[in-house]
Amino acid sequence: MVFSKHLYMVILSYILLIIAVAGAGIALVITHTALILGSLLFIFSLFLIETLVKRLNKFNTKIRIFLDAVEDKENMILFNEQSADKEMNALSHSLNRINELLATTKSQSRIQENFYYSLLEEVPNGVLAWSSEKRVIFVNGAALRLLGVKPIIFLRQLEEQYPALKDFIAHGNVEDSFLLQSNSKKQLSLSMNRMKLNSETITLLAIKDISNELSEKESESWSKLTRVLTHEIMNTIAPIVSLSQTLSLRPGTDEKVIRGLGVIREQSERLMEFTESYRRLSYMPEPKKKRFSLTDSLHNLGLLLQSDFENHIHFILRSTPSDIYIEGDEKQLSQVFLNLLKNSMQSLEGKTDGQIEVTLEVTDKLYIKLLDNGRGIPMELQEKIFVPFFTTKTEGTGIGLSLCWQIIKRHGGNLYLQESGQGRTLFVIEWPIVPFIPK
């Protein structure tokens, strides 16, 4: 208890003493027995009242200061517990104890809050929260990275960059989901939720990158289609090749017929070779992984293509650290890098100052970046470059980049076009497993 029985007895004694002294003084004045003494007793009773009020006000003042500090969230206040007044010391001790408990609770709450903030920063999905005034309360790094924006304070900063998002926020329901293409061409799935917090409505927006899921589904569909087509085409063409060869060997066959059958056989065989290239896309073997030096492998590819670079293409290989080892199928990965390098070389045709730069960087992942200063890929075609059978080349098959994408995916990585324009095209491979770096 803040107030002890002793304090109650003191207050009661003061009250009884004030009543006794004041009553005696008033009685002496009224009866005219001793006017001066009665007046002095009455004045003394007033002094006792003032003393009691001051004593009680000290308690009230100290409690009010404590409550004001609590309201202002100030827990550095400390009351003196070493005064001559035991009751005041007891009150100060109790208030200091309460203040200490509040400070401990506040510290634990702050630690827990920091833990949840750190936890939200580590999740791969984006989280964005704002108040009813559309002021951003929280946004994690994943949300900024997925949306491709800088730190924001108000929601309108995001709505200006994504007008479609503004309509979803204004009219979307909490059970709805919304697909949004980010500025970096990523496919994002958005879902929204609302909650009441201290009588204020807080809106939460969850952001998930589903580009890989969509790409994998699309790739799986293309693979199934390719298997069916190649199977049917091969089954149809094989008898034609065999029959044309048999007929051309029959005695007495006209010379023109033989030449015609030869043309049929050659075209059929060419079509079978063409179909076989597509079959490789759908029946690609599992990678045979082993540890090898990625830096050396890329260096050797540069030497292999040196004659093709001639004098108009400058090849640069940068590796930080200088030698990086990874686990993977070296033959398959060499095919990926060879295809990417040849694509860069074709984009540099006609340039006298061509440059291809391959950079290896190790941070949280291994990033393999291939940059060239060629003519770039038109904006309207950038979304289609990894689609099987799509090509802009007159003699292309449309499986090169698609095959590269599948090989990297089978190794657990990710291949994407980060940017492309006149004079700058950048392909990036993200390798999720921490590479081995020899000492």
Side-chain angles (χ1 to χ4, degrees):
M1 294 177 62
V2 175
F3 299 105
S4 66
K5 290 181 180 179
H6 179 262
L7 179 60
Y8 291 131
M9 295 300 297
V10 170
I11 294 174
L12 182 60
S13 300
Y14 263 96
I15 293 173
L16 293 175
L17 183 61
I18 289 168
I19 292 173
V21 172
I26 292 171
L28 290 173
V29 172
I30 291 175
T31 59
H32 300 284
T33 305
L35 293 175
I36 295 175
L37 180 60
S39 298
L40 290 173
L41 288 174
F42 184 75
I43 292 171
F44 182 65
S45 68
L46 294 177
F47 173 75
L48 291 174
I49 292 173
E50 182 184 9
T51 302
L52 178 60
V53 170
K54 284 183 177 180
R55 185 179 181 86
L56 294 177
N57 278 344
K58 283 183 180 180
F59 287 97
N60 292 335
T61 300
K62 185 164 289 190
I63 293 173
R64 187 178 67 253
I65 291 173
F66 173 76
L67 293 176
D68 288 342
V70 171
E71 185 179 2
D72 295 336
K73 299 179 180 179
E74 175 59 55
N75 53 16
M76 298 299 293
I77 189 170
L78 184 65
F79 297 102
N80 181 23
E81 300 180 22
Q82 305 298 325
S83 67
D85 192 332
K86 293 182 179 180
E87 301 303 329
M88 192 64 70
N89 290 342
L91 175 62
S92 297
H93 177 75
S94 298
L95 294 179
N96 286 337
R97 177 59 180 161
I98 294 172
N99 195 43
E100 182 182 344
L101 292 174
L102 290 174
T104 302
T105 302
K106 184 177 179 181
S107 175
Q108 291 175 346
S109 177
R110 186 178 293 111
I111 291 172
Q112 192 174 38
E113 182 180 350
N114 290 335
F115 169 75
Y116 287 129
Y117 269 74
S118 300
L119 191 64
L120 288 172
E121 281 293 340
E122 293 300 321
V123 298
N125 296 340
V127 179
L128 178 66
W130 63 87
S131 64
S132 53
E133 291 83 19
K134 291 192 173 183
R135 184 180 182 88
V136 174
I137 299 172
F138 175 79
V139 56
N140 66 349
L144 298 175
R145 184 174 63 255
L146 291 173
L147 293 168
V149 297
K150 295 180 179 179
I152 55 177
I153 300 175
F154 296 99
L155 191 62
R156 66 171 181 270
Q157 296 173 264
L158 187 61
E159 293 174 338
E160 289 172 358
Q161 298 192 46
Y162 294 98
L165 182 60
K166 182 177 181 180
D167 185 64
F168 172 67
I169 291 172
H171 305 103
N173 298 318
V174 293
E175 63 271 10
D176 294 339
S177 60
F178 178 67
L179 291 179
L180 178 72
Q181 186 178 62
S182 70
N183 295 332
S184 58
K185 306 300 181 183
K186 292 182 178 180
Q187 298 296 327
L188 306 178
S189 174
L190 311 181
S191 57
M192 191 165 53
N193 195 8
R194 294 186 178 92
M195 66 174 65
K196 282 284 187 180
L197 188 63
N198 296 333
S199 73
E200 185 177 12
T201 301
I202 304 298
T203 306
L204 294 175
L205 185 70
I207 308 167
K208 183 180 180 182
D209 183 5
I210 60 172
S211 302
N212 288 341
E213 287 86 343
L214 291 177
S215 298
E216 288 173 4
K217 292 290 184 184
E218 185 179 28
S219 177
E220 184 181 350
S221 299
W222 278 114
S223 294
K224 290 179 179 178
L225 177 62
T226 303
R227 288 173 189 159
V228 173
L229 290 176
T230 54
H231 178 75
E232 294 300 325
I233 293 173
M234 294 291 277
N235 286 347
T236 304
I237 296 175
I240 296 175
V241 174
S242 178
L243 184 59
S244 61
Q245 187 172 8
T246 301
L247 291 175
S248 63
L249 295 176
R250 288 185 62 180
T253 305
D254 187 83
E255 186 67 27
K256 289 184 178 180
V257 174
I258 293 175
R259 285 200 301 270
L261 291 172
V263 171
I264 292 173
R265 187 177 69 254
E266 290 175 4
Q267 292 298 323
S268 298
E269 289 174 348
R270 187 175 302 171
L271 184 57
M272 288 182 70
E273 291 176 3
F274 180 75
T275 306
E276 184 63 30
S277 66
Y278 285 108
R279 178 178 285 190
R280 289 199 303 271
L281 183 64
S282 56
Y283 292 98
M284 186 173 59
E286 286 296 321
K288 297 178 181 178
K289 297 181 180 180
K290 64 176 183 179
R291 190 178 299 278
F292 70 95
S293 172
L294 178 62
T295 311
D296 288 347
S297 181
L298 288 169
H299 177 72
N300 293 336
L301 281 177
L303 295 176
L304 178 66
L305 296 173
Q306 196 63 49
S307 59
D308 296 322
F309 293 153
E310 296 178 344
N311 296 323
H312 68 284
I313 297 177
H314 182 45
F315 177 74
I316 302 172
L317 174 61
R318 305 183 192 277
S319 180
T320 307
S322 59
D323 196 9
I324 298 176
Y325 283 72
I326 61 172
E327 286 276 352
D329 190 316
E330 187 173 4
K331 290 183 179 179
Q332 289 187 5
L333 292 175
S334 294
Q335 186 63 44
V336 170
F337 301 131
L338 189 61
N339 282 345
L340 292 174
L341 288 170
K342 286 187 174 181
N343 284 346
S344 293
M345 291 165 58
Q346 290 172 355
S347 71
L348 292 169
E349 289 178 355
K351 287 181 70 74
T352 57
D353 58 344
Q355 180 171 298
I356 299 175
E357 181 177 337
V358 178
T359 305
L360 309 180
E361 295 177 353
V362 179
T363 54
D364 56 329
K365 300 177 182 178
L366 167 62
Y367 291 91
I368 307 167
K369 301 179 180 180
L370 192 143
L371 174 68
D372 68 65
N373 62 341
R375 55 180 174 269
I377 302 170
M379 181 67 69
E380 65 273 11
L381 301 181
Q382 291 181 13
E383 296 180 10
K384 305 176 183 178
I385 59 174
F386 294 110
V387 175
F389 315 139
F390 176 79
T391 181
T392 58
K393 305 170 187 175
T394 55
E395 298 182 358
T397 61
I399 65 170
L401 283 176
S402 179
L403 190 62
C404 292
W405 186 88
Q406 285 203 35
I407 290 173
I408 296 300
K409 276 294 176 185
R410 285 175 178 246
H411 281 79
N414 189 25
L415 167 64
Y416 58 90
L417 175 66
Q418 181 164 307
E419 61 175 298
S420 184
Q422 186 64 37
R424 183 177 176 85
T425 297
L426 176 61
F427 280 91
V428 179
I429 297 174
E430 292 182 3
W431 204 263
I433 303 172
V434 178
F436 171 75
I437 306 169
K439 296 180 180 180

